[in-house]
Amino acid sequence: RSCSPVRTCRRASTSHRPCLIARFSSLYSQERVEAETNLRAYVCSAEMAQRIIYAAVVESFCVAKIAFWKVKIHVKEVLALDHLGPDALEVAALEYIACHKNLHDVCHSVEEVICCMNRNPTIACPSHVDFCVIRTFIRELCCLAFTMQTLIPPLDIAIGVDGEVYNKTMYYRSCNSDFTSSVVAYHIWPALMENGVVVVKGEVVTRS
């Protein structure tokens, strides 16, 4: 018995989802550390390096989601002649984008992220260096964030705010935190979310 396009796509999303979650965790445990090490050659403060990394993650997801939205509109217009019904067209577009990742101009996304970071008043690099020192890290983030949008439902990150109340269901405390404080001083890594539910916890620093 043939399966509906929606059911087929959701089954594909289910099989692909664990790989994307594992990649998100790998970026946190490996590439994040390497990127922070690269920044520390130019930024004397460990806190500022961590703030820059967090900003890179947030901006990469924001830029990649906008890029995905634009690509999906174009793909749906192209596929519209052969598909009837909004659900079938939506699923077909997601499947097509998932199979043709070259539709994402990742180089343009990386440049957009770096431009956004240069305009961010909460982070700063010395004048003799720019955020291109973590370009490879940003590229991996953009690729992952873009691919996560092809899932049903998509995966996304929670964007935190300095000074928010610490939420133990969403974050781990960094080892240099004040464990008596319930105030988030700054974020090191965002939580990964699916339909408002935490899939992977992020990391924060709490201080009085």
Side-chain angles (χ1 to χ4, degrees), residues 21 26 53 82 86 102 112 116 127 152 156 176 180 187 203:
I21 293 173
S26 175
I53 294 296
D82 298 323
N102 60 314
E112 283 289 315
C116 290
S127 57
I152 301 176
D156 200 358
N176 61 337
T180 64
H187 298 73
E203 183 180 354

Side-chain angles (χ1 to χ4, degrees), residues 56-115:
V57 180
V58 171
E59 296 294 353
S60 294
F61 267 79
C62 290
V63 168
K65 285 190 293 183
I66 293 173
F68 179 83
W69 175 72
K70 292 179 179 178
V71 168
K72 189 173 73 169
I73 289 176
H74 175 69
V75 169
K76 288 174 73 173
E77 289 175 350
V78 172
L79 298 179
L81 295 177
D82 298 323
H83 289 83
L84 298 175
D87 290 336
L89 180 59
E90 180 76 12
V91 171
L94 293 178
E95 288 181 328
Y96 188 88
I97 296 170
C99 294
H100 298 82
K101 296 183 177 64
N102 60 314
L103 292 171
H104 178 206
D105 187 351
V106 65
C107 292
H108 178 72
S109 290
V110 171
E111 294 302 325
E112 283 289 315
V113 171
I114 292 174
C115 286

Side-chain angles (χ1 to χ4, degrees), residues 26-38 53 137:
S26 175
L27 280 168
Y28 164 71
S29 61
Q30 297 179 27
E31 282 92 334
R32 175 188 65 87
V33 177
E34 294 171 4
E36 188 174 330
T37 300
N38 291 338
I53 294 296
F137 177 66

Side-chain angles (χ1 to χ4, degrees), residues 118-139:
N118 282 325
R119 296 193 296 266
N120 190 329
T122 64
I123 56 177
C125 261
S127 57
H128 61 278
V129 66
D130 59 26
F131 297 119
C132 289
V133 297
I134 56 171
R135 177 185 293 273
T136 301
F137 177 66
I138 293 172
R139 181 185 178 86

